[in-house]
Amino acid sequence: MSDPTPLARLGGCLATDLRDVTSDPEALDSSGWWAVVADYEGGLCCARFGDVRPAPLPAPVPGRWRGPAAGSWVSSLDRAGYTEGVRRIRAAIGTGDVYQVNLCRVLSAPLPDPSPGAADIDQLTARLALGTPAAYAGTVRLPAHGVEIATASPELYLRRTGRTVESGPIKGTGRSEADLGEKERAENVMITDLVRNDLGRVCVPGSITVPQLCAAEPYRGLVHLVSTVRGELPETAETPGAGPGAWARLLEDTFPPGSITGAPKSSALRLIDELETVPRGPYTGGIGWVDADRGTGELAVGIRTFWIERDHPRPLLRFGTGAGIIWDSDPEQEWRETELKASRLLAVASGEYDGHETAAQTR
């Protein structure tokens, strides 16, 4: 069977008729509707589609998704490696090098049948939509360009409407609002301040506001602390096509998203490079869409996200999970948190969860 047709399902739309693919962020301020995938390491894929129309997420079709066996997932960091990483982060906090670091691991499993008829990433999106509905769910399927992504992200990285830019960092997760204590609020405030600083590098001085701080938002089986940070771009970016490079500047000055790095950001990034053993890829990057004609766009943080890598002897399905580490973190508890966060979505991908029972989601 030939490769499936390129498509993107993002922002409540289905995009087909692929016209162009580029790694140049300047394209996002040119013309047309673009699907955007920015991986954590800085790689960028922008795909312009000619046919974009409102459409719901797909319904599952029997036989179109055969996920990995439940016991076949392998972690880039095992329990000992992850807990040692937590201890090293705590030591760095103790010496004042950093305040918080998001330590992640990547899970991988071989696809039992990698043919397009049995491993359609759009069908994994359909199953995620049943089991873990999310505000920024979607698919980007560009097989010829090595991009096959299904996401159920709940977190806003960047939203642009003309000159107005907004970010919605999530930090702090519990089974109920009662679980969200001072530790979780402290994490959220630190990251909100980091996002304010990032947006302040590209927005008009004095325009940054925080309309919402540490608001408890319920999801299925979980409650998150979510803040909102807003700013205004310079007047040259007020209308579509004016002030070329607005998206390029936004990505340059705010990427990777602050909620999945740490504070201070530069120090956290150095520790992440030292401690994590494999690339994160699209996990914790940015995934979404840009309408260059209207000067609008919406990128989510690439969490709760699966992607297929076919350049292996057996194609792999990958997935990331992590936790924010601060001084109060307990290494074993943080490891258990990453397991808890991953359990539900791995069950969905492996075909063991049908969306009708309450379980933990992932971050």
Side-chain angles (χ1 to χ4, degrees):
M1 184 180 295
S2 61
D3 284 345
T5 304
L7 64 79
R9 292 185 188 271
L10 298 163
C13 291
L14 170 63
T16 55
D17 183 22
L18 181 65
R19 300 289 183 86
D20 187 24
V21 177
T22 180
S23 61
D24 184 1
E26 298 285 351
L28 302 179
D29 282 294
S30 59
S31 63
W33 191 98
W34 298 81
V36 181
V37 176
D39 67 42
Y40 173 82
E41 286 72 32
L44 182 66
C45 180
C46 306
R48 182 167 61 91
F49 289 89
D51 185 355
V52 183
R53 57 191 182 277
L57 292 173
V61 177
R64 293 296 303 276
W65 177 257
R66 286 190 59 199
S72 64
W73 293 95
V74 176
S75 176
S76 60
L77 287 171
D78 61 13
R79 184 172 187 161
Y82 192 87
T83 53
E84 175 60 22
V86 175
R87 284 187 281 270
R88 287 181 60 183
I89 291 168
R90 290 188 73 252
I93 294 171
T95 57
D97 294 333
V98 73
Y99 308 119
Q100 182 194 66
V101 176
N102 208 72
L103 183 62
C104 300
R105 55 193 181 97
V106 174
L107 302 165
S108 305
L111 289 170
D113 182 352
S115 65
D120 180 0
I121 198 71
D122 197 38
Q123 280 295 298
L124 179 52
T125 295
R127 283 153 177 76
L128 292 173
L130 289 181
T132 56
Y136 306 104
T139 303
V140 182
R141 190 175 73 191
L142 304 168
H145 300 276
V147 177
E148 295 178 79
I149 293 172
T151 184
S153 176
E155 182 173 359
L156 176 65
Y157 164 39
L158 288 173
R159 177 184 294 123
R160 180 185 171 195
T161 306
R163 291 178 54 204
T164 302
V165 181
E166 191 170 280
S167 185
I170 292 176
K171 211 65 184 172
T173 300
R175 292 185 181 275
S176 68
E177 190 170 348
D179 295 330
L180 303 174
E182 289 305 312
K183 173 183 179 289
E184 289 73 24
R185 286 174 171 79
E187 286 187 76
N188 191 289
V189 170
M190 278 192 284
I191 293 304
T192 298
D193 194 52
L194 186 154
V195 173
R196 288 175 65 248
N197 182 69
D198 282 355
L199 286 182
R201 298 172 64 188
V202 67
C203 289
V204 175
S207 71
I208 305 297
T209 61
V210 181
Q212 173 179 277
L213 181 64
C214 292
E217 292 190 3
Y219 290 82
R220 184 178 292 186
L222 291 177
V223 177
H224 293 308
L225 286 181
V226 184
S227 295
T228 301
V229 183
R230 187 175 296 153
E232 294 292 319
L233 295 171
E235 290 186 13
T236 53
E238 185 172 5
T239 58
W247 275 107
R249 293 196 305 275
L250 279 167
L251 291 171
E252 180 180 359
D253 290 334
T254 68
F255 196 82
S259 65
I260 48 70
T261 53
K265 196 174 194 178
S266 58
S267 300
L269 288 171
R270 285 194 295 271
L271 264 177
I272 289 168
D273 286 343
E274 292 175 12
L275 298 176
E276 296 184 11
T277 57
V278 300
R280 293 186 183 183
Y283 171 59
T284 70
I287 302 169
W289 59 273
V290 168
D291 188 332
D293 296 322
R294 292 177 171 82
T296 60
E298 198 170 71
L299 304 182
V301 180
I303 57 174
R304 302 180 189 171
T305 295
F306 290 89
W307 68 102
I308 296 174
E309 291 183 0
R310 295 190 181 271
D311 55 346
H312 301 276
R314 294 183 66 187
L316 297 176
L317 183 66
R318 295 197 189 272
F319 175 83
T321 184
I325 311 304
I326 63 173
W327 175 252
D328 291 338
S329 292
D330 172 78
E332 292 293 334
Q333 183 176 337
E334 298 294 352
W335 167 261
R336 290 192 295 270
E337 182 176 327
T338 67
E339 287 196 312
L340 176 66
K341 289 174 175 177
S343 61
R344 182 188 209 163
L345 291 184
L346 296 185
V348 172
S350 295
E352 296 188 327
Y353 177 69
D354 62 7
H356 296 298
E357 59 183 273
T358 299
Q361 293 179 331
T362 184
R363 176 172 166 65

